[in-house]
Amino acid sequence: VQLQASGGGLVQPGGSLTLSCAASGFTLTHYNIGWFRQAPGKEREGVACTSSSGGRFIYVGSGKGRFTISRDNAKNTVYLQMTSLKPEDTAVYYCARAPNVCSGYDGIYDYWGQGTLVTVSS
């Protein structure tokens, strides 16, 4: 099982980024995939999740209306589209797999990608 997060980078405030999470070694359609982030000096927090049944959840309050999670099962890839980015969105973003349900609690996720750094700065 592997999860490969990519798409991070430096972006100016107000800009947009789309992160990708490429999954391999398992059937994506059977699993829930979440995005988490960890800012310097802070605890990891749940950002969003896409469920195996097609549900989409945004957990970070500041992300509602700005973040969209989606999946392309044919490409074994999950995306996190982020718009109107703010400096407080700066963090390492991780994708992870959950066997049963979506949650903003990281304890239910069994496999994690390596993370991709998003820096929002002028």
Side-chain angles (χ1 to χ4, degrees):
V1 173
Q2 286 193 331
L3 296 165
Q4 181 80 28
S6 63
L10 175 63
V11 61
Q12 291 188 341
S16 300
L17 273 179
T18 296
L19 306 183
S20 299
C21 176
S24 61
F26 64 99
T27 303
L28 184 62
T29 54
H30 295 169
Y31 289 89
N32 313 287
I33 302 295
W35 282 99
F36 288 77
R37 69 184 183 185
Q38 188 165 21
K42 295 187 177 181
E43 292 188 354
R44 186 163 59 191
E45 65 174 342
V47 176
C49 184
T50 170
S51 72
S52 58
S53 60
R56 303 180 186 186
F57 307 92
I58 303 295
Y59 298 117
V60 61
S62 63
K64 294 180 180 178
R66 298 190 300 123
F67 294 176
T68 302
I69 189 169
S70 62
R71 62 163 69 199
D72 186 335
N73 289 327
K75 294 184 177 180
N76 290 326
T77 302
V78 172
Y79 304 97
L80 181 68
Q81 296 171 277
M82 304 185 292
T83 63
S84 302
L85 283 162
K86 305 174 182 180
E88 50 264 42
D89 294 318
T90 295
V92 177
Y93 284 72
Y94 301 88
C95 58
R97 187 188 82 165
N100 297 313
V101 295
C102 269
S103 176
Y105 169 58
D106 59 4
I108 69 163
Y109 292 80
D110 58 358
Y111 285 93
W112 291 78
Q114 84 291 356
T116 185
L117 176 62
V118 172
T119 303
V120 184
S121 176
S122 55

